[in-house]
Amino acid sequence: MAYAYLFKYIIIGDTGVGKSCLLLQFTDKRFQPVHDLTIGVEFGARMITIDGKQIKLQIWDTAGQESFRSITRSYYRGAAGALLVYDITRRDTFNHLTTWLEDARQHSNSNMVIMLIGNKSDLESRREVKKEEGEAFAREHGLIFMETSAKTASNVEEAFINTAKEIYEKIQEGVFDINNEANGIKIGPQHAASNATLTGNQGGQQAGGGCC
Amino acid sequence: MVGPDDAGRDGSRSLSGGSGQEELMTNGDAGFLLQPEEPPAWAVRTEPGPQEEEMRLPNGGFPHFLPDPQPEPGDGAGRASPPAGAALEEPLRSCCLGPDPEGGAAVGSPPPPRSGAGTESPSEAAAGVRTPRDCSDGAAAAGTLCPAPLGFIDINLNSRNTYEVNRRRSAPEHLPHGGTPATAPAPPQEPTDKTKRIAIPGSSSGIADFITRNFFTKRTKELKPGLHSAPGWKLFGKVPPRENFQKDSKIIQQEYEARTGRTCKPAPQATRRKTFEFEPLSTTALILEDRPSNLPAKSIEEALRHRQEYDEMVAEAKKREIKEAHKRKRIMKERFKQEENIASAMVIWINEILPNWEGMRTTRRVRELWWQGLPPSVRGKVWSLAIGNELNITHELYEIFLSRAKERWKSFSETNSENDIEGVSVADREASLELIKLDISRTFPSFYIFQKGGPYHDLLHSVLGAYTCYRPDVGYVQGMSFIAAVLILNLEEADAFIAFANLLNKPCQLAFFRVDHSMMLKYFAAFEVFFEENLPKLFLHFKSYSLTPDIYLIDWIFTLYSKSLPLDLACRVWDVFCRDGEEFLFRTGLGILRLYEDILLQMDFIHIAQFLTKLPEDITSEKLFSCIAAIQMQNSNKKWAQVSENNNVTKSC
């Protein structure tokens, strides 16, 4: 249970792109071809290690339907990372990225790290969105990008962990104020030690932090 | 017998997961005993003596197997007790018949004995007899054991389990080893076996032994060395049928042993085999009974201790089984009682209540009966009546909207939809028609009936499509598919649609499915008032984590608990929801929180959130309904309607 940091993630994107399956693959390492649809929000959690530090990911998996946007919006608050997912076999899910991104930018902390994910990369034969298009979109909007397959687990681990690395780097750079939980970062119960090292690294930038 | 050390090395493993070796060894349900010169099965496998290999490989196991059974009895007769052999023939034959085809198929190199395939008939015993001889000749030449008997035994034992047989086929070179395990006749569980074995070892060796080997069934021999040199494997499982079988085989084996190496082996096997094929369960394990010969034998004390430990384990398992049996019986009894109650309630509903619906629905007696749960046979009918049809929807109207939906779908598929959808104004949510398809198969996926090709797939599609055309201002919203599905399971198509449309027209449902955020917040606020009133400790606990009710209530209310509770339980919630209205939905939510209050108080944010969005599956209606009953929907003398009114929620439509 001891962790240095807790990061809140939110998974967003159109309905049926595989958000819940990505989460299940990441937390349980299994794939469920037919998944219950998500109403409202579901949750997952997993511990990862970055730079020798235990980091707990608290993941909010949201409903994708347009109608639920107004509900989803309230869940951006306090997220340090977002996985914005589209389905490479359905172009419309790619076309909707802009509105998702607007939503995300508008309702989240400006430092929130956004990872763009083109899911279902195992379905190459049904691909409608080229990988280059995803890369271009990500470049244009300053996102990290990966194509994943929740089915084969390809890149799933990497997507979640690379996002965490990015957040971690931002903490190291002092971009995130880890004392403000609205940033989606919480210092773990054993923060005393880890925070000490962190402040050491940071030249005391975040000294005094952690006692929250 | 299960020495801790043994367990540590090879111990008990599940059959299915085991490696080939283990599988083979499984065969001896009793400890199998190797011939003295034979290394333990695993040793053999890895480093088989060249001679042995030669001998065994040709044997391939199966071909010999057939003829062997016959000769064996004969041999045995010559040696020890002839009459027994005759007695055993029947079982033998059956045994032979079973494995034979496999053997034939499996083995490429049919040695002479193979011809004996027809040997089933006792008259052919002669041929059978010849076989061992051939073997012995071969053995003599090779200066080793006669492979035939080995093969024979091997097969029989293995044949118990198809899996093993198959394995062997694919890896015939393992057969010889398999043969070794075959020696397992002695049922390990019987202390008597133990003692026998102990007694026997001394006797095995020398020329006599050699001869015996050739003519006798392995069994005798196997028994002897078993104690120190050979590892004994046994199946350990808590599957009652298997146990019985083991007992049978044990008895038979004992008899057999008593007769000095009579070939009774096959008989039990043949029978067993049928049952065993399907038996290996998760509780099955392999137990290494004796140490492999390359290790010092257990001391007697140690062996005794292991025996004792093993007996204790068995006794423990038996106790558990008896307990479980009692439990099952109790559950069955309860279920039976429930069925009876349902049956008698059904009569009352059909004969008394339904004919006088308006007059009786609000009577105390009916309300009480209603709380107990509606009998499934009248459930749909009562729901329909209780929900009503203030929208005055007719079956014809349903057909009209259904055909409109079908037209839309058709045009979608023709025009590749995308542009169409973009063109549609936001207010017209008929566009959500397209989404329905995605969600149908994600509705109760575990039931399969709503999957593509399932019996209810099209029905669900139709009801949702018709509704979307009927209420384009609401459209299809996720969560609806669960409600429609539950209705379809209880009502005819058009009636399900009517109930569906009227149900969604209720203020609470309308607020949620239009995702009217401010109204939803008011409902949540009213819920929190009663939450604090009923479960103050838990309320504070949630507050301390800023865990708001929307996190779990959205799912519960949108699907009317049909996604989060087991279906039968959800139906019971629906029963009372039809009686009491929206208040009961929130009361149920509080009942769930109350049911799990103690657990939830120990959890932090993420665990609570995960727990409530994925409730335990073993939740029972009895417990839940007693918790719901304990929830008071009174707040300083105000009822739900008043509280929600204060919050401006109740805006009847």
Side-chain angles (χ1 to χ4, degrees):
Chain A
M1 227 356 252
Y3 53 85
Y5 296 105
L6 184 149
F7 295 166
K8 174 180 167 180
Y9 276 18
I10 181 170
I11 312 182
I12 52 174
D14 274 10
T15 181
V17 297
K19 297 183 292 295
S20 299
C21 289
L22 282 168
L23 176 59
L24 191 69
Q25 181 60 258
F26 179 65
T27 57
D28 288 30
K29 301 206 186 317
R30 64 194 170 95
F31 176 71
Q32 227 176 348
V34 187
H35 196 275
D36 260 356
L37 60 94
T38 307
I39 313 282
V41 60
E42 286 177 7
F43 297 86
R46 206 186 112 177
M47 204 73 92
I48 59 171
T49 309
I50 287 175
D51 196 17
K53 293 198 173 53
Q54 291 286 93
I55 292 174
K56 185 169 183 175
L57 300 183
Q58 179 194 92
I59 305 152
W60 296 45
D61 170 29
T62 64
Q65 198 186 354
E66 169 78 34
S67 321
F68 287 99
R69 288 274 179 105
S70 65
I71 295 172
T72 308
R73 277 183 201 123
S74 59
Y75 298 144
Y76 286 113
R77 216 164 53 103
L83 304 188
L84 171 52
V85 188
Y86 69 92
D87 174 354
I88 65 155
T89 70
R90 279 163 59 210
R91 175 155 291 277
D92 53 320
T93 66
F94 182 76
N95 294 342
H96 296 157
L97 287 179
T98 331
T99 53
W100 280 112
L101 203 56
E102 275 168 19
D103 251 21
R105 289 261 155 85
Q106 199 178 336
H107 296 93
S108 70
N109 157 346
S110 56
N111 292 315
M112 182 172 78
V113 173
I114 303 176
M115 162 76 78
L116 179 65
I117 292 178
N119 191 34
K120 309 198 187 178
S121 64
D122 53 294
L123 301 176
E124 194 54 51
S125 60
R126 285 162 49 191
R127 178 189 282 276
E128 285 183 10
V129 183
K130 282 196 224 105
K131 191 174 180 187
E132 292 72 36
E133 295 177 85
E135 284 167 346
F137 186 93
R139 223 174 11 250
E140 192 182 327
H141 296 90
L143 317 173
I144 332 171
F145 173 72
M146 281 194 132
E147 280 198 350
T148 62
S149 166
K151 187 174 182 178
T152 67
S154 153
N155 269 345
V156 174
E157 194 85 358
E158 289 81 353
F160 282 88
I161 288 172
N162 289 353
T163 309
K165 278 184 186 156
E166 188 94 356
I167 297 168
Y168 185 77
E169 274 166 29
K170 283 196 175 188
I171 295 173
Q172 302 286 316
E173 291 160 11
V175 177
F176 269 123
D177 175 7
I178 50 174
N179 297 314
N180 183 354
E181 280 192 21
N183 285 331
I185 297 161
K186 238 162 93 176
I187 298 174
Q190 41 108 303
H191 67 270
S194 61
N195 204 29
T197 37
L198 178 68
T199 48
N201 295 342
Q202 297 295 340
Q205 191 171 8
Q206 266 134 25
C211 295
C212 41
Chain B
M1 310 226 61
V2 188
D5 43 340
D6 291 340
R9 196 182 324 116
D10 284 69
S12 45
R13 295 183 194 163
S14 87
L15 269 177
S16 54
S19 70
Q21 268 186 14
E22 288 157 0
E23 281 149 17
L24 287 172
M25 291 173 185
T26 319
N27 299 329
D29 66 337
F32 55 73
L33 309 176
L34 301 182
Q35 320 248 344
E37 49 282 73
E38 283 185 285
W42 49 80
V44 172
R45 204 152 282 146
T46 40
E47 30 174 320
Q51 277 181 351
E52 279 177 6
E53 269 299 6
E54 271 173 41
M55 302 290 310
R56 286 166 188 177
L57 279 175
N59 163 12
F62 301 113
H64 294 299
F65 158 77
L66 264 180
D68 290 347
Q70 298 298 349
E72 273 180 292
D75 289 350
R79 240 136 251 291
S81 61
L88 291 168
E89 271 176 12
E90 271 307 304
L92 266 180
R93 240 176 284 142
S94 62
C95 161
C96 298
L97 285 172
D100 175 19
E102 287 176 53
V107 186
S109 66
R114 225 236 176 136
S115 60
T119 3
E120 291 111 67
S121 73
S123 61
E124 287 178 349
V129 175
R130 201 191 62 227
T131 319
R133 227 151 260 194
D134 296 344
C135 291
S136 64
D137 293 342
T144 346
L145 313 173
C146 163
L150 274 175
F152 169 58
I153 290 162
D154 177 18
I155 288 158
N156 287 335
L157 287 169
N158 292 326
S159 63
R160 225 184 286 158
N161 184 326
T162 348
Y163 186 42
E164 286 154 20
V165 173
N166 291 340
R167 249 204 71 75
R168 199 164 296 154
R169 271 194 225 150
S170 62
E173 70 280 4
H174 286 188
L175 280 172
H177 315 304
T180 12
T183 22
Q189 287 169 352
E190 306 288 323
T192 46
D193 297 339
K194 238 299 148 118
T195 46
K196 261 179 222 156
R197 239 177 262 152
I198 294 169
I200 300 169
S203 67
S204 73
S205 63
I207 300 168
D209 193 10
F210 176 52
I211 297 167
T212 6
R213 238 176 265 142
N214 296 333
F215 300 94
F216 266 68
T217 14
K218 220 75 340 136
R219 237 100 331 104
T220 14
K221 240 152 301 142
E222 295 142 10
L223 286 174
K224 310 170 192 172
L227 187 54
H228 2 171
S229 64
W233 288 91
K234 82 175 61 158
L235 266 178
F236 180 78
K238 66 161 203 169
V239 195
R242 175 175 309 168
E243 274 190 9
N244 294 340
F245 259 105
Q246 278 178 342
K247 264 172 227 156
D248 286 354
S249 63
K250 261 178 238 160
I251 293 164
I252 297 170
Q253 281 169 353
Q254 280 168 0
E255 283 175 0
Y256 160 77
E257 281 160 24
R259 284 164 188 162
T260 340
R262 228 0 77 72
T263 346
C264 57
K265 204 59 199 257
Q269 236 102 42
T271 19
R272 236 184 264 154
R273 166 179 207 200
K274 281 181 204 134
T275 21
F276 267 63
E277 277 179 26
F278 304 98
E279 278 186 70
L281 295 183
S282 58
T283 50
T284 310
L286 272 178
I287 293 171
L288 179 58
E289 199 166 308
D290 296 310
R291 293 218 176 109
S293 61
N294 56 349
L295 294 172
K298 291 179 188 175
S299 69
I300 293 181
E301 300 87 60
E302 198 184 7
L304 280 175
R305 202 184 69 235
H306 291 166
R307 173 88 239 163
Q308 202 179 0
E309 284 169 358
Y310 172 76
D311 288 344
E312 279 164 16
M313 283 165 66
V314 170
E316 197 56 39
K318 283 210 175 114
K319 235 192 272 170
R320 249 198 331 267
E321 250 167 54
I322 291 171
K323 220 168 133 189
E324 274 165 24
H326 279 304
K327 201 176 153 196
R328 267 198 304 276
K329 212 170 154 188
R330 212 182 53 233
I331 290 171
M332 284 305 290
K333 219 172 158 184
E334 274 168 25
R335 201 167 290 166
F336 189 67
K337 209 174 136 199
Q338 268 177 12
E339 300 269 314
E340 269 188 342
N341 287 343
I342 289 172
S344 62
M346 188 183 72
V347 174
I348 299 173
W349 278 99
I350 290 175
N351 294 340
E352 298 179 39
I353 305 171
L354 288 180
N356 309 296
W357 176 248
E358 286 307 326
M360 288 187 75
R361 63 181 294 184
T362 51
T363 61
R364 195 179 165 157
R365 177 167 164 248
V366 171
R367 286 178 62 83
E368 272 172 14
L369 201 58
W370 203 332
W371 175 273
Q372 313 291 324
L374 298 171
S377 53
V378 298
R379 180 166 266 151
K381 182 75 188 151
V382 175
W383 285 357
S384 277
L385 287 169
I387 292 167
N389 185 7
E390 51 173 28
L391 296 170
N392 291 318
I393 298 172
T394 59
H395 285 207
E396 288 72 35
L397 193 64
Y398 168 65
E399 293 300 334
I400 290 168
F401 284 111
L402 177 56
S403 54
R404 184 183 292 186
K406 283 180 175 164
E407 272 167 37
R408 288 296 301 254
W409 282 322
K410 220 171 119 195
S411 67
F412 277 145
S413 52
E414 278 165 8
T415 58
N416 206 358
S417 70
E418 186 60 26
N419 295 336
D420 261 37
I421 292 179
E422 299 285 336
V424 176
S425 82
V426 188
D428 180 7
R429 296 183 187 270
E430 268 188 44
S432 52
L433 271 176
E434 269 295 87
L435 295 175
I436 297 173
K437 254 186 271 173
L438 269 177
D439 288 351
I440 303 272
S441 58
R442 296 197 284 170
T443 305
F444 294 122
S446 55
F447 295 177
Y448 297 106
I449 51 176
F450 297 107
Q451 306 286 302
K452 197 148 193 156
Y456 287 93
H457 176 273
D458 294 345
L459 218 54
L460 184 55
H461 202 193
S462 299
V463 170
L464 292 172
Y467 180 80
T468 308
C469 291
Y470 169 71
R471 283 303 294 262
D473 60 327
V474 179
Y476 165 74
V477 179
Q478 287 182 332
M480 283 183 182
S481 61
F482 284 87
I483 298 181
V486 173
L487 289 169
I488 284 171
L489 289 172
N490 286 282
L491 286 163
E492 289 299 308
E493 183 175 354
D495 291 327
F497 176 78
I498 294 168
F500 182 69
N502 280 284
L503 185 59
L504 295 197
N505 200 44
K506 299 197 177 291
C508 176
Q509 274 59 50
L510 215 49
F512 275 77
F513 281 110
R514 280 172 150 167
V515 199
D516 181 338
H517 224 137
S518 60
M519 286 283 275
M520 286 166 69
L521 287 176
K522 283 166 187 166
Y523 274 109
F524 296 147
F527 173 82
E528 289 202 285
V529 170
F530 291 97
F531 186 0
E532 186 172 16
E533 183 98 353
N534 281 279
L535 306 163
K537 247 166 89 186
L538 191 62
F539 179 78
L540 283 179
H541 185 63
F542 279 24
K543 269 269 184 270
S544 71
Y545 286 113
S546 325
L547 200 143
T548 49
D550 55 298
I551 282 173
Y552 46 92
L553 273 185
I554 285 179
D555 182 16
W556 294 354
I557 304 295
F558 266 89
T559 64
L560 302 177
Y561 295 96
S562 56
K563 180 168 163 273
S564 20
L565 294 179
L567 187 60
D568 56 335
L569 191 42
C571 283
R572 282 205 56 191
V573 171
W574 280 43
D575 290 345
V576 189
F577 163 60
C578 287
R579 189 192 78 169
D580 292 0
E582 65 186 36
E583 171 187 317
F584 189 72
L585 294 179
F586 296 93
R587 196 178 174 194
T588 300
L590 292 173
I592 294 172
L593 295 181
R594 187 190 164 96
L595 177 57
Y596 295 113
E597 182 175 19
D598 294 342
I599 304 173
L600 292 168
L601 281 170
Q602 310 298 319
M603 293 180 171
D604 62 0
F605 175 90
I606 187 69
H607 289 104
I608 297 170
Q610 282 184 292
F611 185 89
L612 293 178
T613 50
K614 211 157 251 131
L615 292 171
E617 284 167 17
D618 59 357
I619 185 167
T620 66
S621 58
E622 217 170 80
K623 281 185 191 151
L624 177 60
F625 271 78
S626 70
C627 284
I628 296 174
I631 296 292
Q632 299 299 316
M633 295 304 270
Q634 293 249 345
N635 168 250
S636 36
N637 288 328
K638 279 190 207 150
K639 299 196 168 182
W640 169 264
Q642 291 165 297
V643 173
S644 46
E645 232 163 79
N646 274 2
N647 288 310
N648 294 322
V649 162
T650 318
K651 201 169 49 175
S652 67
C653 56

